[in-house]
Amino acid sequence: MTPEDIARLPYRPCVGVVLTHADGRVFAGQRADLETPAWQMPQGGIDEGETPLVAAYRELREETGVAAGDVRLVAETADWHRYDLPLEVVATRWKGKYRGQAQKWVRFDLAAPDSVIDLTHQDVEFSDWRWMTGAELLTLIVPFKRPIYQAVLAEFGLV
């Protein structure tokens, strides 16, 4: 794919979830499909007919085992955030259909014990997880997603 081909591709509609602990730390999961350190927050595509909030509850449940009744909705980002995939990844990620993602982010506070977190509930997206400060997560996220993480964490007052 040429850069011109990529520039014509649409963004994949996506939702991201910022799950926070009572002390303000943020849930971060180590991606199960990568051997190198790759920590991120839960996220996933928005299915046809879903609102971003409905998708956020679904993705949270699928990726962490945390149910809607285990969280308290805090906020949604005011705007959509977009990122482009690195050029060398576009052709293989999502079968080359998208140039990157347009993401709406939702913040939930965990209102249940940590024991509700079950990485094997449905989709095994993460091989490990831990609570991190926003600043710590910003040092561990892949560079091409860092600007979005910075903006979202700042909007939610977590950095």
Side-chain angles (χ1 to χ4, degrees), residues 19-33:
L19 179 64
T20 50
H21 188 272
D23 64 10
R25 290 179 296 156
V26 176
F27 174 97
Q30 165 61 41
R31 288 183 54 128
D33 61 343

Side-chain angles (χ1 to χ4, degrees), residues 14 16 52 75-82 102-106 148 151-152 155-156:
C14 178
E76 288 185 45
T77 53
D79 296 312
W80 290 80
H81 295 270
R82 288 173 178 73
Q103 299 179 314
K104 187 74 164 179
W105 285 83
V106 177
I148 284 182
V152 168
E155 184 173 343
F156 291 154

Side-chain angles (χ1 to χ4, degrees), residues 28-54:
Q30 165 61 41
R31 288 183 54 128
D33 61 343
L34 297 174
E35 294 179 19
T36 58
W39 294 86
Q40 69 178 46
M41 294 182 281
Q43 66 176 53
I46 298 173
D47 293 339
E48 190 171 329
E50 274 187 323
T51 65
L53 183 58
V54 168

